[in-house]
Amino acid sequence: MAPTRAEPFSDSSALIDFVINQGNGVKGLSEMGLKALPRQYIQPLEERMCMINIKAQESIPIIDMSNPDDPDVEKLICEAASKWGFFQIINHDVPIEVLENVKDATYKFFGLSAEVKNKYSKEHSSSNNVRFGTSFTPQAEKALEWKDYLSLFYVSEEEAFALWPLACREQVLDYMRKSEVVIKQLLKMLMKGLNVNEIDETKESLLMGSMRTNLNYYPKCPNPELTVGVGRHSDVSTLTILLQDEIGGLFVRENNCDNWIHVPPIKGSLVINVGDALQIMSNGKYKSVEHRVVANGYNNRISVPIFVNPRPSDMIGPLPELIKDGEKPIYKQVLYSDYVKHFFRKGHDGKKTIEFAEM
């Protein structure tokens, strides 16, 4: 029996079939015009966004990158990575038309029929490097998250042209290519802040040996206060480069307390955040901070993060330059692919993933 607006999904198997197996995603639920949120998306009270904990007057740093060789810019970026784990950059080297094109391509991909998008799902995709999905790890979550995504792991241009969806591949590749300059600028500054003054080929490979781009789609939601777009988590990357649209909804936890700070959309800006891999490699000097996305009752929202990662086969731990003078390592050496598998094995749970690497 087809679901209705009043009685959308009486049992979980019908919902899973509609959302996941048929490829409708939460976009399909949103477009049904549901009057109430299906119970499978209702988050426990402690995971809902409590408005009293939002610090409206606070902001993560906004840093002008028009002169990336300026020592003051380097200082601001290293301070932001240490104190906040998050910052926005403006006047960077990624052209605005590249950002607009990838946003348009995101809408184009999610505007495709469920049947076409479903060709890229876990069950049907010809490669693990291309994945259309919904929520985070549905089989491990107590409550589902209100988000659909397309995840694209970059191996080569040849593979991208062979496997990535036509609706977005050229725009995503261009966004990744143009962002590489900025990524290298940021990593150079962050390494200098650790007194690592040269990034040789081995170090560059460790810091940015693999990249994944996600196209995220957060459709309008009935009862948005009962669910989340993305639950509390920190990224497992070295750095994440995030393009968000004008809708807003990304919140960052203020370090060491329960306050959350909204990251306001600034046209043409990129949001940068430290991932767990960089926290581990910096021996805790740079902070990978919890963040979350709220659901929205009025607007569809998109975002496009590039996750800059070590290679899956890399061992990650505090950089040797940091511990050679007797500084005590607070993290052990771990295989990066094991760390990532641990992250995806469970639902979002704040900062708990980093415990996997603690001494």
Side-chain angles (χ1 to χ4, degrees):
M1 190 173 77
T4 65
R5 288 170 65 178
E7 182 60 43
F9 294 96
S10 49
D11 67 276
S12 286
S13 60
L15 180 120
I16 294 296
D17 187 56
F18 179 80
V19 172
I20 297 177
N21 300 340
Q22 295 176 34
N24 288 291
V26 283
K27 182 173 186 282
L29 291 179
S30 177
E31 289 173 351
M32 286 171 61
L34 300 179
K35 296 296 184 190
L37 186 74
R39 61 180 171 76
Q40 295 87 346
Y41 289 89
I42 297 176
Q43 294 285 328
L45 254 167
E46 65 273 14
E47 295 303 332
R48 297 180 205 168
M49 197 67 181
C50 178
M51 299 313 281
I52 58 165
N53 283 346
I54 294 172
K55 285 187 84 169
Q57 72 278 18
E58 284 278 17
S59 169
I60 64 169
I62 298 164
I63 299 172
D64 188 330
M65 287 275 288
S66 52
N67 186 3
D69 296 324
D70 184 341
D72 288 341
V73 174
E74 180 188 313
K75 186 174 176 227
L76 288 169
I77 281 169
C78 294
E79 281 176 358
S82 302
K83 183 186 173 186
W84 294 90
F86 264 82
F87 52 96
Q88 293 204 66
I89 56 172
I90 56 173
N91 298 324
H92 50 74
D93 284 338
V94 186
I96 190 120
E97 61 269 22
V98 171
L99 304 180
E100 292 303 315
N101 288 345
V102 82
K103 286 196 280 189
D104 290 346
T106 300
Y107 275 113
K108 192 173 177 186
F109 174 78
F110 286 102
L112 297 171
S113 69
E115 185 183 11
V116 172
K117 287 182 292 195
N118 208 24
K119 290 176 183 173
Y120 302 101
S121 68
K122 184 178 180 180
E123 288 69 28
H124 302 112
S125 180
S126 58
S127 167
N128 278 336
N129 296 335
V130 182
R131 176 70 49 81
F132 167 66
T134 191
S135 193
F136 176 62
T137 308
Q139 67 277 13
E141 291 169 302
K142 292 176 188 160
L144 297 172
E145 299 178 351
W146 195 260
K147 179 189 87 168
D148 297 331
Y149 66 87
L150 176 70
S151 185
L152 302 166
F153 183 82
Y154 180 82
V155 173
S156 67
E157 297 241 343
E158 293 73 26
E159 180 179 287
F161 273 96
L163 300 179
W164 292 11
L166 180 62
C168 59
R169 71 181 174 216
E170 291 198 30
Q171 294 84 352
V172 173
L173 283 170
D174 199 27
Y175 172 47
M176 292 178 80
R177 275 188 223 108
K178 299 292 196 306
S179 297
E180 199 167 312
V181 176
V182 174
I183 292 163
K184 287 181 176 178
Q185 288 169 345
L186 292 169
L187 288 173
K188 184 180 175 186
M189 293 183 221
L190 289 164
M191 287 301 103
K192 282 177 79 175
L194 300 173
N195 293 318
V196 178
N197 293 316
E198 191 185 340
I199 301 180
D200 59 16
E201 208 172 301
T202 306
K203 185 79 87 261
E204 183 175 293
S205 180
L206 179 67
L207 293 167
M208 55 178 292
S210 72
M211 290 196 201
R212 179 186 297 279
T213 300
N214 278 14
L215 310 185
N216 295 328
Y217 188 86
Y218 305 90
K220 277 191 302 188
C221 178
N223 313 117
E225 71 285 355
L226 300 180
T227 191
V228 294
V230 179
R232 299 178 300 112
H233 71 289
S234 60
D235 294 345
V236 294
S237 56
T238 302
L239 285 180
T240 302
I241 315 298
L242 176 77
L243 170 64
Q244 58 171 347
D245 66 10
E246 70 287 352
I247 302 302
L250 171 64
F251 286 82
V252 174
R253 187 193 278 276
E254 189 177 12
N255 228 345
N256 303 320
C257 66
D258 272 340
N259 295 321
W260 292 83
I261 296 161
H262 186 234
V263 180
I266 300 171
K267 192 172 178 64
S269 76
L270 290 167
V271 180
I272 312 297
N273 66 278
V274 172
D276 289 358
L278 185 55
Q279 178 169 326
I280 292 165
M281 287 190 267
S282 71
N283 206 31
K285 292 194 173 56
Y286 297 138
K287 305 287 191 297
S288 170
V289 172
E290 272 183 73
H291 49 288
R292 69 204 305 179
V293 175
V294 297
N296 190 304
Y298 303 100
N299 299 103
N300 303 320
R301 175 182 183 266
I302 58 165
S303 68
V304 189
I306 299 174
F307 300 103
V308 180
N309 308 310
R311 293 169 305 181
S313 59
D314 282 327
M315 296 296 293
I316 62 167
L319 293 171
E321 293 92 335
L322 299 183
I323 54 175
K324 72 176 190 315
D325 295 326
E327 183 180 319
K328 190 180 176 195
I330 55 177
Y331 302 106
K332 60 191 175 187
Q333 296 282 328
V334 293
L335 182 66
Y336 187 63
S337 61
D338 286 347
Y339 191 86
V340 173
K341 280 176 196 161
H342 178 66
F343 177 65
F344 282 105
R345 201 175 282 139
K346 54 196 175 51
H348 282 138
D349 56 3
K351 280 284 293 177
K352 288 188 180 171
T353 309
I354 200 96
E355 293 168 9
F356 185 81
E358 287 174 353
M359 294 290 271

